[in-house]
Amino acid sequence: MKILEQLSKYKFSRYFQILFILWDVILLNTAVIISGLIKFESLDRLFLKEVQTISLLENLIWLGLFII
C-alpha cells in the first residue's frame, strides 16, 4: 500500500485504470500463448488465420467489458 500512497502524491492515480487494462490484455494474451504451447506443443497453429481472428475477437470483447 505504501507504493500506492507514493504514486498518489505524484498524481499517477489517473493512469491506474489504463495500466490495469493493459496488464489484463497482456495476461490474456500470455494465457493464450501458454495454452497453445501446452495443447499443441508448438506455436505453429497459433499463426493460423482462424486462431488469430478468435484471439482478436477475444481481446476486443475483453476491452468492451471494461467500457461497459
Side-chain angles (χ1 to χ4, degrees):
M1 290 306 280
K2 287 184 180 182
I3 191 165
L4 293 177
E5 291 172 5
Q6 285 290 76
L7 289 174
S8 67
K9 289 180 184 176
Y10 296 110
K11 308 276 189 219
F12 285 123
S13 61
R14 61 181 163 206
Y15 301 115
F16 283 166
Q17 185 176 10
I18 294 169
L19 291 174
F20 288 142
I21 291 171
L22 181 64
W23 182 244
D24 276 349
V25 170
I26 289 170
L27 286 178
L28 177 68
N29 290 317
T30 303
V32 168
I33 291 170
I34 290 173
S35 66
L37 277 173
I38 291 171
K39 184 174 182 176
F40 302 121
E41 297 179 355
S42 71
L43 293 177
D44 293 339
R45 291 197 180 180
L46 292 179
F47 295 113
L48 295 174
K49 191 167 191 136
E50 295 85 12
V51 175
Q52 289 179 346
T53 303
I54 291 172
S55 181
L56 176 67
L57 288 173
E58 185 177 271
N59 282 305
L60 290 175
I61 290 170
W62 190 252
L63 290 174
L65 289 173
F66 278 111
I67 294 172
I68 292 177

